[in-house]
Amino acid sequence: LPYSDGEDIDRTFWNYELKVEPKALPAGDIVISKQVTGTAGDTNQKFNFVVEFKTTDASLAVPYEISNGTKGTIKTGDKIQLKSGEVATITMIPCGSDYKVTEVEANKNGYKTTAEGTSGRIVRKTPAKVKFVNSKDKPPKHTDDKSGGTPTGDTLPIVYMIIAAASVCVIGIILFVTRRRKKK
């Protein structure tokens, strides 16, 4: 702004201080959630996730926070650990960056893994939502004759087959004898 020392002489001049700071690049977030379901699923087991995001700066480290209170920074290709019910939010990823999230233990140790949103492009103001669900059920229990349940051994079907074969033979003999008597 123009400045004057207040005298009658026109000594106005510009007096200012200018600070220049770089403009923040538009950035977006990745939100990763983990769920374990099923009768044999271990909700306390930690699962590893590899997070990749392609930017012009391969050494870029961005902040993350897990819903359990863990905080840190992550670079592309690093891992984050989550257990059932936890959510990781990775922030400040430059817009336009492609991302990919992979669960290391997917479809292992008896778990069936389903995932949504595991890859895409970072956009401003719309977090990329990545969801992983691992399901594991106990195998059904088999009962035996002693417990009063349905027998699981191989002897019962054989008995039924012998009875059926004997019945067919008896019916065949009766029909043969009956026809023979009619012909006489």
Side-chain angles (χ1 to χ4, degrees):
L1 298 174
Y3 171 78
S4 173
D5 61 5
E7 295 183 20
D8 290 338
I9 303 170
D10 187 18
R11 296 188 193 172
T12 58
F13 57 93
W14 291 90
N15 185 13
Y16 59 91
E17 186 176 313
L18 178 64
K19 289 184 181 180
V20 179
E21 294 181 12
K23 185 177 180 181
L25 294 174
D29 306 336
I30 299 175
V31 178
I32 306 167
S33 65
K34 178 66 184 169
Q35 200 69 318
V36 175
T37 63
T39 57
D42 182 359
T43 56
N44 290 315
Q45 179 180 347
K46 291 186 177 183
F47 295 85
N48 295 290
F49 300 88
V50 176
V51 180
E52 299 173 88
F53 44 91
K54 296 183 176 29
T55 65
T56 56
D57 181 3
S59 66
L60 177 68
V62 295
Y64 73 88
E65 183 173 355
I66 299 176
S67 57
N68 65 13
T70 303
K71 294 180 181 182
T73 58
I74 187 169
K75 293 180 182 179
T76 187
D78 287 350
K79 292 179 186 174
I80 288 181
Q81 285 190 333
L82 298 174
K83 62 183 184 176
S84 185
E86 292 183 334
V87 176
T89 303
I90 304 168
T91 60
M92 302 304 297
I93 302 171
C95 288
S97 302
D98 291 328
Y99 73 90
K100 181 178 179 183
V101 180
T102 308
E103 181 180 329
V104 176
E105 296 85 4
N107 296 311
K108 293 182 181 174
N109 302 320
Y111 283 100
K112 179 183 177 202
T113 304
T114 57
E116 297 174 8
T118 58
S119 63
R121 182 161 284 165
I122 301 297
V123 294
R124 190 174 183 189
K125 297 183 180 181
T126 306
K129 294 184 180 182
V130 183
K131 181 179 180 180
F132 287 90
V133 178
N134 285 26
S135 180
K136 183 177 183 182
D137 288 315
K138 292 179 183 175
K141 292 184 178 182
H142 296 287
T143 59
D144 56 14
D145 291 338
K146 295 175 187 169
S147 68
T150 305
T152 58
D154 291 338
T155 57
L156 193 59
I158 293 173
V159 171
Y160 286 143
M161 289 178 12
I162 292 172
I163 292 172
S167 298
V168 169
C169 288
V170 170
I171 292 172
I173 292 172
I174 292 172
L175 289 174
F176 179 74
V177 172
T178 307
R179 285 190 177 174
R180 196 164 200 191
R181 284 188 183 170
K182 285 185 181 180
K183 286 185 182 181
K184 288 186 181 182

